[in-house]
Amino acid sequence: LYKKFTIITNTKFTQVNRTYRVLKEMADTKHLSMAEAWWESVQDQVKALLEEHYLKMVRDQDDAEYKPFRNPLISEVIYRRNHTWESTMSQECFAEICQMLPKGEENERMARMPVLDALSRSVFLLVGKLLRIYAT
């Protein structure tokens, strides 16, 4: 779980975010608008599929291999490490997840967010950007 969480919420998130920003700067406005509209129309289905299949797989693998991790809060110190789950996330990832939360409750909600919830939201944001990159 630790390795997946770190790679997705930091390394991959940063890479995809950088590519998406370049695309937004360079893409034809019409095609980008069409990709954004398409994403709006399918994002609920994508989110449901990710939660149903991907998260179940991650959880099952974690249970089979690394029982100590369970599903801690991102504000907790990682088992056998000296830092929190939150500290392994890129600032961009953390900020975008905060934007998904109700205004005024971001800090409190993030402190109480389980690792799998943060992972799920990160994967959702990544998939959305990758699909829009592809659609453009």
Side-chain angles (χ1 to χ4, degrees), residues 69-126:
F69 285 126
R70 60 195 202 312
N71 190 16
L73 302 180
I74 65 168
S75 58
E76 291 181 28
V77 174
I78 302 166
Y79 180 75
R80 294 188 177 171
R81 308 226 190 261
N82 291 333
H83 54 274
T84 64
W85 291 89
E86 179 182 332
S87 70
T88 66
M89 299 170 73
S90 73
Q91 291 177 345
E92 295 169 314
C93 182
F94 187 85
E96 287 191 35
I97 292 175
C98 281
Q99 290 173 3
M100 298 171 81
L101 302 172
K103 296 292 178 220
E105 299 178 22
E106 301 97 328
N107 292 336
E108 180 185 334
R109 285 260 182 108
M110 285 300 286
R112 293 184 292 122
M113 184 174 289
V115 167
L116 285 179
D117 192 10
L119 182 63
S120 171
R121 290 169 187 263
S122 300
V123 171
F124 173 73
L125 290 166
L126 282 173

Side-chain angles (χ1 to χ4, degrees), residues 23 27-28 31-32 35-36 131-136:
L23 171 77
D28 177 312
H31 290 108
L32 185 58
E36 295 285 350
L131 288 173
R132 285 176 278 180
I133 289 167
Y134 180 73
T136 302

Side-chain angles (χ1 to χ4, degrees), residues 48-86:
L49 287 169
L50 285 171
E51 288 173 356
E52 182 180 343
H53 298 287
Y54 180 75
L55 277 183
K56 182 181 181 333
M57 178 195 70
V58 169
R59 180 75 215 108
D60 290 347
Q61 285 177 350
D62 185 49
D63 285 345
E65 298 174 27
Y66 308 105
K67 289 203 185 283
F69 285 126
R70 60 195 202 312
N71 190 16
L73 302 180
I74 65 168
S75 58
E76 291 181 28
V77 174
I78 302 166
Y79 180 75
R80 294 188 177 171
R81 308 226 190 261
N82 291 333
H83 54 274
T84 64
W85 291 89
E86 179 182 332

Side-chain angles (χ1 to χ4, degrees), residues 5-64:
F5 186 83
T6 304
I7 289 170
I8 290 170
T9 64
N10 194 317
T11 309
K12 296 294 180 190
F13 201 91
T14 301
Q15 292 169 343
V16 171
N17 235 25
R18 194 172 299 137
T19 304
Y20 186 66
R21 274 197 308 271
V22 169
L23 171 77
K24 286 180 83 168
E25 291 170 7
M26 298 177 69
D28 177 312
T29 307
K30 178 183 174 187
H31 290 108
L32 185 58
S33 295
M34 289 171 61
E36 295 285 350
W38 171 77
W39 171 244
E40 288 290 323
S41 73
V42 299
Q43 68 179 347
D44 291 338
Q45 293 169 317
V46 171
K47 186 176 182 183
L49 287 169
L50 285 171
E51 288 173 356
E52 182 180 343
H53 298 287
Y54 180 75
L55 277 183
K56 182 181 181 333
M57 178 195 70
V58 169
R59 180 75 215 108
D60 290 347
Q61 285 177 350
D62 185 49
D63 285 345

